[in-house]
Amino acid sequence: MSGPKTTEFAQLPAIDRLLNSAGAAALVAEHGRSEVKRVAQRTLADLRTAIRQGQAVDSSVAGICLAVADALEQDARRDIRRVFNLSGTLLHTNLGRALMPEASIAAVVEVMRDASTLEFDLASGRRGHREACIEDLLCRLTGAEAATVVNNNAAALMLTLNTLALGRTVPVSRGELVEIGGSFRIPDIIERSGCRLHEVGTTNRTHLRDFDAALGAQTALILKVQQSNYVIHGYTASVDERELAQLCRAAGIPFVVDLGSGTLIDLEAYGLAHEPTPMETLARGADLVTFSGDKLLGGPQAGILVGRRDLIDQINANPMKRALRCDKMTIAALTALLRLYQQPENLVERLPLLRIMTRSCREIRAQAAALLPLFEQQLAQVASARLVDCASEIGSGALPDHRIASVGIGLRPLPSAGAPDQVLARLAGALRELPVPVIGRVHRGDLLLDCRCLEDVGGFAGQLRQLDLGS
Ligand SMILES: *Cc1c(COP(=O)(O)O)cnc(C)c1O
């Protein structure tokens, strides 16, 4: 090896000298010595590689400490963290879906920090039932005979099928064999739950006679799946739930409806589109209804099942229930959420999703307008900023046809700043680099920041000065 390189290798500090240096003290205090050591060793190895390749390196202790600090920070940025969701999708599956009401947050913190009555009955001093309180609330709110909860709606559907249709046939309309979010496909779920799918009707039209013809000795139940994330327009027909319920009753099999996004209120009363509720579905004759806790309900990730006592009892007796049951944090959050639904007059104020869905454009526009000057200062020669009328969507397969008018801040690349696509990517990247990353979307040549979901304006404005668009 040549002389100069040997010298450079020799100049790299020993790991102990690095860890004991003044520059490393704060890092060791925050991250612990072993973690700093691991990252420092990796940094030193990178420096040796760079030297071998003939690159100039900063081998000073202070310089290496800065590199280690940077690596530790990059590492931590990959942890799950808070973001500003200005994507215009209110229930964004990739951004954590529903924001929890304060009552749920407080309830979760309490049961996390201390022992709780998760499965303990205070009245008798004996073992209690994990879902007793939730079941009571769900029955009161939906009018169902019985209810239970599991980890998510996908689990609710699997458990239902595995309990009520194992080794048997489940007819589903071809118009409802949907894929939800990549890996969740109704046909696969049916198969993996140990059942056989019987496809009925066609993509656009399915009739009662198709279901009638599909029924046989092996038919376990009829499943109706809410179409959720897409809409078929034109020459279409689906079977009325009441007719399907009647057919099931005559055949002596349960009628199961996967609602996907359940809400316990009439959204039309708030100026939004109609979304079928579990109450309506039960009233039309469904024996069992499943829906998500973190879609339009606006709570924690959970799968809720409501319906006939005997069916819920069978589901609870399935050993798979134990594998899919909710933890205490979900139970606490969901209980507090359901309590809010008991006071509908306070719901808009206390349920973040409903509050966000019903914010007026006037309020959003005023808020966005106040932020414009801050953007204009920061964007300098890179982009212009202006108010843009836009439309938010609910997301997560809820109300797929429905948009809510909203107002956003449109960041438009200046022609002098370079290729628009690259400038948009640079803008989006810089917003993601902020202490609380900001997530927008590209819309008609703008990077659009839809302000409907922006509630913490102070926090948002306060960090904008750190927006670094490079040069
Ligand atoms: C979203 C959805 C599911 C899955 O619910 P998760 O709570 O996300 O597991 C199942 N079925 C339908 C119709 C849905 O819309």
Side-chain angles (χ1 to χ4, degrees):
M1 196 176 281
S2 62
K5 278 188 187 171
T6 316
T7 322
E8 282 186 73
F9 282 125
Q11 273 167 357
L12 289 177
I15 188 76
D16 282 333
R17 198 178 129 221
L18 201 57
L19 291 176
N20 293 331
S21 72
L27 296 178
V28 169
E30 189 183 341
H31 300 275
R33 192 177 172 91
S34 49
E35 176 61 1
V36 176
K37 183 174 179 181
R38 182 184 72 81
V39 175
Q41 278 169 332
R42 204 175 66 195
T43 307
L44 287 171
D46 290 346
L47 287 172
R48 278 187 217 101
T49 307
I51 294 171
R52 227 172 278 128
Q53 290 167 351
Q55 296 168 25
V57 300
D58 176 2
S59 55
S60 71
V61 168
I64 295 172
C65 281
L66 282 179
V68 170
D70 193 49
L72 284 164
E73 194 189 309
Q74 287 306 319
D75 229 33
R77 276 188 74 81
R78 296 175 58 190
D79 295 353
I80 182 168
R81 54 163 50 210
R82 176 190 172 200
V83 299
F84 282 107
N85 171 17
L86 305 192
S87 66
T89 300
L90 276 46
L91 292 171
H92 199 305
T93 297
N94 304 145
L95 301 180
R97 289 195 184 162
L99 312 180
M100 223 66 60
E102 289 301 328
S104 293
I105 296 166
V108 172
V109 168
E110 186 172 314
V111 300
M112 279 199 294
R113 190 166 284 137
D114 288 299
S116 63
T117 56
L118 180 65
E119 290 184 1
F120 186 82
D121 179 31
L122 281 178
S124 65
R126 298 217 187 102
R127 178 162 196 246
H129 194 281
R130 172 177 290 248
E131 290 154 20
C133 173
I134 283 194
E135 179 168 28
D136 282 352
L137 282 165
L138 281 169
C139 289
R140 236 177 293 159
L141 288 164
T142 64
E145 250 172 49
T148 187
V149 287
V150 287
N151 268 328
N152 49 37
N153 189 37
L157 188 58
M158 287 193 87
L159 188 60
T160 298
L161 292 166
N162 181 269
T163 307
L164 304 177
L166 185 64
R168 293 199 286 155
T169 307
V170 176
V172 185
S173 163
R174 288 198 167 93
E176 297 169 5
L177 296 175
V178 295
E179 173 180 299
I180 296 145
S183 54
F184 184 87
R185 294 174 147 194
I186 296 292
D188 298 343
I189 292 290
I190 291 175
E191 205 162 293
R192 286 296 179 130
S193 305
C195 318
R196 280 188 308 275
L197 167 66
H198 186 142
E199 298 186 19
V200 174
T202 63
T203 304
N204 58 330
R205 291 174 71 84
T206 301
H207 306 280
L208 187 65
R209 60 174 185 273
D210 298 325
F211 276 103
D212 201 13
L215 295 186
Q218 282 302 303
T219 310
L221 52 84
I222 288 182
L223 175 67
K224 182 180 165 68
V225 181
Q226 180 73 15
Q227 284 174 357
S228 304
N229 51 4
Y230 78 110
V231 186
I232 299 183
H233 288 292
Y235 185 59
T236 64
S238 58
V239 187
D240 186 82
E241 283 175 358
R242 286 185 200 84
E243 292 181 330
L244 276 180
Q246 235 166 27
L247 187 67
C248 287
R249 214 165 302 127
I253 55 174
F255 176 39
V256 177
V257 179
D258 171 16
L259 265 191
S261 193
T263 169
L264 296 175
I265 48 171
D266 173 15
L267 288 179
E268 277 170 305
Y270 298 90
L272 299 155
H274 182 76
E275 171 79 13
T277 65
M279 298 79 96
E280 286 167 9
T281 312
L282 290 169
R284 288 192 203 116
D287 296 298
L288 199 65
V289 180
T290 76
F291 58 100
S292 292
D294 59 351
K295 292 186 181 173
L296 277 174
L297 197 64
Q301 177 186 304
I304 300 171
L305 301 100
V306 293
R308 257 167 52 191
R309 174 90 262 160
D310 61 324
L311 300 180
I312 296 286
D313 285 347
Q314 283 181 60
I315 284 169
N316 280 331
N318 185 334
M320 262 176 65
K321 171 72 196 294
R322 172 60 203 264
L324 302 172
R325 74 178 185 185
C326 293
D327 78 328
K328 62 184 176 183
M329 291 184 272
T330 304
I331 301 273
L334 193 56
T335 305
L337 175 87
L338 294 173
R339 291 257 173 239
L340 289 188
Y341 277 95
Q342 283 189 312
Q343 347 169 357
E345 51 287 347
N346 294 323
L347 210 52
V348 169
E349 186 194 328
R350 297 190 186 164
L351 186 66
L353 178 65
L354 192 59
R355 187 168 69 222
I356 286 167
M357 283 197 299
T358 54
R359 283 182 76 195
S360 77
C361 274
R362 187 142 55 90
E363 182 195 330
I364 301 170
R365 186 182 307 279
Q367 186 188 62
L371 289 168
L372 266 191
L374 292 176
F375 274 101
E376 280 156 0
Q377 274 169 31
Q378 292 301 315
L379 296 169
Q381 305 303 315
V382 177
S384 64
R386 66 188 201 296
L387 297 185
V388 175
D389 289 314
C390 59
S392 315
E393 59 179 289
I394 309 289
S396 291
L399 302 173
D401 230 4
H402 188 63
R403 297 281 180 281
I404 308 177
S406 184
V407 181
I409 297 169
L411 309 180
R412 165 79 41 116
L414 294 176
S416 55
D421 282 358
Q422 282 168 22
V423 180
L424 284 174
R426 210 166 106 203
L427 279 167
L431 286 162
R432 288 198 307 272
E433 282 289 318
L434 286 169
V436 181
V438 175
I439 315 295
R441 76 175 191 274
V442 173
H443 176 70
R444 294 188 184 153
D446 284 333
L447 184 67
L448 181 65
L449 306 177
D450 183 333
C451 294
R452 175 164 291 280
C453 290
L454 182 57
E455 291 200 301
D456 175 17
V457 187
F460 182 82
Q463 65 166 8
L464 266 191
R465 214 164 307 153
Q466 296 177 56
L467 190 67
D468 180 8
L469 290 168
S471 47

